[in-house]
Amino acid sequence: MPNLLKTTVLATSIALSACSASPTGRNQLLLFSDQDMSSLGAQSFDQMKQQQKVSTDKKVNAYVQCVAKSVTSQVPKQPGFNEWEVVVFDSDQVNAFALPGGKIGVYTGLLKVAKNEDQLATVIGHEIAHVLADHSNERLSQSQLANAGLQITNIALGSSEYAQYRGATMAALGLGLQYGVLLPYGRTQESEADIVGLEIMAKAGFDPTESISLWKNMAAASGGQQPPELLSTHPSHSTRIQDLSAKINTLPNYGAQKPNCSKS
Ligand SMILES: [Zn+2]
């Protein structure tokens, strides 16, 4: 069979078997199982912990854990893990991430831009929403289609064969900055993470209107010498603030008590 035809047949049979709907009802192509994604996430997280400095500052850890726990308490139980693991990295990077398998990383540099618990909850909610919406599975599936035949999960994780795909895998997980392969989330995924993330943080009792201040702070910080790393994988779009305002107006009063996560 000619290559092009082979690819088309493969793509068609994959598309028929792996279609799914995102939390906002969008059709998604997901080629990897929850277990595959969880083990990729957990393995990548282990690497991050080995390669980057973990913060031992008790106050900062308590603050980030408090906000993250409050947010994750609103997320339905996910397949493959019981609790979300939260690690604070000691770095000036203005960055944060969440990985399949229940892993959350927050960089201390982010706390200068996310100035209060509501703004930090905005970022954590947004990152978790990317996980809940299977965005890394989707991104990896798209790159898989582009290189039909490449079966990342058929290769033993950590093997030398896998090493050549690590950059692409990390990029799909949103960790590309650390590995020199950048894959910014697309506009659709960003909007979806904004909407789903806002619902989660509001349910946890945080103030959703602070999401506007967060993204304004992020924009202001991007004028400086070191633009926020978060914006390189989570690009802001011109209607983000408008879209957030519209979403905030439709949120019900969840009646949740505001968590007491003081910064100092
Ligand atoms: Zn994002």
Side-chain angles (χ1 to χ4, degrees):
M1 218 189 299
N3 263 346
L4 182 65
L5 182 59
K6 234 195 263 178
T7 307
T8 312
V9 170
L10 178 63
T12 310
S13 59
I14 285 170
L16 287 175
S17 63
C19 251
S20 177
S22 79
T24 60
R26 188 169 56 80
N27 280 333
Q28 288 178 300
L29 171 64
L30 303 177
L31 300 183
F32 299 94
S33 67
D34 286 338
Q35 288 103 308
D36 286 339
M37 292 312 298
S38 290
S39 60
L40 280 178
Q43 204 208 18
S44 306
F45 200 58
D46 282 345
Q47 274 184 27
M48 302 289 281
K49 286 191 283 187
Q50 278 165 27
Q51 291 168 0
Q52 307 198 27
K53 194 175 167 210
V54 173
S55 169
T56 52
D57 185 314
K58 285 206 173 102
K59 260 188 199 167
V60 171
N61 271 278
Y63 171 61
V64 172
Q65 294 282 350
C66 177
V67 173
K69 279 228 154 71
S70 306
V71 174
T72 55
S73 71
Q74 299 307 315
V75 176
K77 167 125 178 46
Q78 298 297 301
F81 67 94
N82 286 319
E83 258 190 85
W84 292 77
E85 181 184 356
V86 186
V87 167
V88 181
F89 293 102
D90 191 2
S91 159
D92 287 338
Q93 271 195 40
V94 179
N95 212 354
F97 61 85
L99 299 174
K103 310 296 180 188
I104 296 170
V106 172
Y107 292 78
T108 48
L110 174 69
L111 305 179
K112 291 181 193 131
V113 176
K115 294 185 196 297
N116 56 39
E117 64 264 53
D118 305 293
Q119 294 181 22
L120 179 57
T122 300
V123 177
I124 293 176
H126 177 101
E127 293 303 323
I128 289 175
H130 277 304
V131 174
L132 298 181
D134 287 315
H135 287 167
S136 42
N137 192 339
E138 195 174 22
R139 277 145 53 100
L140 208 53
S141 301
Q142 284 160 356
S143 69
Q144 173 109 342
L145 265 191
N147 311 285
L150 165 62
Q151 296 285 340
I152 292 173
T153 50
N154 285 348
I155 301 166
L157 295 177
S159 71
S160 56
E161 224 186 334
Y162 170 72
Q164 61 180 308
Y165 303 119
R166 188 177 295 139
T169 308
M170 290 296 205
L173 292 171
L175 303 172
L177 199 64
Q178 271 72 29
Y179 294 86
V181 193
L182 258 190
L183 182 61
Y185 285 103
R187 167 79 183 264
T188 306
Q189 292 182 327
E190 276 304 277
S191 299
E192 200 161 67
D194 276 347
I195 288 172
V196 174
L198 213 55
E199 282 172 3
I200 302 170
M201 67 87 93
K203 271 185 197 161
F206 293 105
D207 178 1
T209 62
E210 283 291 317
S211 63
I212 308 242
S213 312
L214 180 269
W215 289 109
K216 282 184 177 165
N217 291 350
M218 206 61 86
S222 67
Q225 285 201 316
Q226 269 195 315
E229 285 78 4
L230 191 90
L231 283 183
S232 62
T233 40
H234 305 266
S236 200
H237 46 82
S238 56
T239 60
R240 169 169 255 154
I241 303 270
Q242 241 174 294
D243 295 351
L244 283 171
S245 307
K247 176 67 188 172
I248 289 165
N249 287 330
T250 68
L251 286 174
N253 182 357
Y254 292 111
Q257 272 241 321
K258 181 156 176 151
N260 186 14
C261 302
S262 102
K263 203 172 177 180
S264 50

